Amino acid sequence: MIRLQNVSKSYAGRLALKDVNLHVALGEFAFLVGPSGAGKSTLMRLLYREEVPTSGNVFIGGVNLNKLSSPQIPLLRRRLGIIFQDYKLLTRQTAYDNVAYILRAHGIDEKEVRKRVNSALNVVNLEDKQDAFPDELSGGEQQRVGIARAIVNGPPVLLADEPTGNLDPATSLEIVQLLARISQRGTTVLISTHDHTIVNTMRRRVISMRAGEVATDIDSGFYEVQGQIQV
Ligand SMILES: Nc1ncnc2c1ncn2[C@@H]1O[C@H](COP(=O)(O)OP(=O)(O)OP(=O)(O)O)[C@@H](O)[C@H]1O
Ligand SMILES: [Mg+2]
């Protein structure tokens, strides 16, 4: 579902990604870890075509993103759910309207919008907060709105760059467990994180990056704290 072939990306002559090869299969759930500056966000941005590789190819569902024309980019993004560390909610819109926004922008009729938004809010267990504004919600609740918004189009791929970076440990684990449940329904999920506890609790695939390269890629992996041995 996600494939990178010999992908390099340089900024002003400095390589942020070096010859990265990676495959994440349909319905797979994986963590992307590594120290600050390792290239996690750069990799994520290539996947939603915020950036293009300096060399190599990036595929989503078999589509080569290098070959997309500008009008095709919104079509790609419709097939991706993107979840942000800072939620990026519309502050003057309710939870419901934040989730409905993209559907309305696509001209979907209100009856269908209601059905899909209610279903997405149900998945994240926020039906009772649908009329709340973002500043009336906790961080975890705001991120659950962000997840509902990401899944409302039924995308085959969810990308989350440090989705729990602003949340406390217990809420962070709940958010990642929610993403794992969504993945079980057949969605491919890639989550970048610095959170060792979450990675080591979940025991799922762990792709670790270092200085722009994939350093290790392990099923049911651990995220080792530097200088410490995990048992
Ligand atoms: N827009 C940009 N312009 C120039 N250099 C950039 C840009 N974006 C990233 N870089 C550089 O690319 C490298 C990888 O950055 P990236 O943001 O992908 O790391 P990261 O693994 O996401 O780090 P963090 O854990 O801190 O979020 C870094 O050296 C960074 O300075
Ligand atoms: Mg980053």
Side-chain angles (χ1 to χ4, degrees):
M1 182 52 72
I2 296 173
R3 190 180 292 278
L4 283 86
Q5 274 177 350
N6 306 108
V7 169
S8 295
K9 174 72 185 172
S10 61
Y11 292 107
R14 271 198 64 235
L15 277 174
L17 291 178
K18 294 174 202 165
D19 198 29
V20 172
N21 288 288
L22 185 65
H23 179 231
V24 183
L26 177 69
E28 209 175 352
F29 178 100
F31 289 113
L32 189 59
V33 304
S36 187
K40 304 179 297 295
S41 297
T42 302
L43 193 156
M44 290 283 190
R45 288 197 296 270
L46 293 176
L47 295 177
Y48 54 91
R49 188 58 204 267
E50 179 83 11
E51 308 258 17
V52 287
T54 306
S55 61
N57 292 300
V58 179
F59 298 87
I60 299 281
V63 175
N64 187 339
L65 304 196
N66 285 348
K67 304 231 158 99
L68 289 184
S69 62
S70 308
Q72 290 173 314
I73 294 172
L75 298 177
L76 164 77
R77 302 231 175 104
R78 250 186 244 188
R79 304 189 62 220
L80 300 173
I82 306 168
I83 297 160
F84 302 94
Q85 176 172 356
D86 59 358
Y87 325 128
K88 297 204 192 298
L89 301 178
L90 301 165
T91 54
R92 291 166 187 274
Q93 303 229 11
T94 63
Y96 182 96
D97 288 334
N98 266 279
V99 180
Y101 183 85
I102 191 75
L103 300 176
R104 289 172 175 155
H106 294 158
I108 292 167
D109 74 76
E110 270 309 308
K111 191 167 161 236
E112 180 68 17
V113 168
R114 193 177 323 124
K115 203 171 101 192
R116 292 205 214 165
V117 173
N118 286 339
S119 165
L121 287 171
N122 178 266
V123 170
V124 302
N125 198 19
L126 265 190
E127 299 108 309
D128 58 330
K129 298 283 171 106
Q130 62 172 15
D131 295 324
F133 289 89
D135 65 1
E136 298 169 329
L137 296 171
S138 71
E141 287 167 342
Q142 290 184 58
Q143 190 56 295
R144 284 193 275 148
V145 176
I147 293 170
R149 178 185 55 191
I151 64 173
V152 76
N153 263 327
V157 178
L158 279 182
L159 303 173
D161 193 0
E162 295 194 47
T164 65
N166 294 340
L167 301 174
D168 65 71
T171 310
S172 296
L173 185 59
E174 280 172 26
I175 289 291
V176 171
Q177 285 169 335
L178 169 61
L179 292 170
R181 281 200 298 282
I182 293 168
S183 161
Q184 273 170 5
R185 300 161 7 145
T187 309
T188 307
V189 177
L190 183 63
I191 303 174
S192 89
T193 184
H194 283 283
D195 192 321
H196 294 84
T197 308
I198 285 180
V199 173
N200 296 341
T201 305
M202 299 294 288
R203 296 301 309 271
R204 302 294 294 261
R205 180 174 174 191
V206 181
I207 302 154
S208 84
M209 299 190 64
R210 198 175 309 128
E213 294 179 290
V214 173
T216 61
D217 185 350
I218 302 168
D219 286 330
S220 311
F222 277 125
Y223 183 14
E224 292 183 14
V225 182
Q226 264 182 344
Q228 288 183 26
I229 295 168
Q230 300 281 318
V231 285

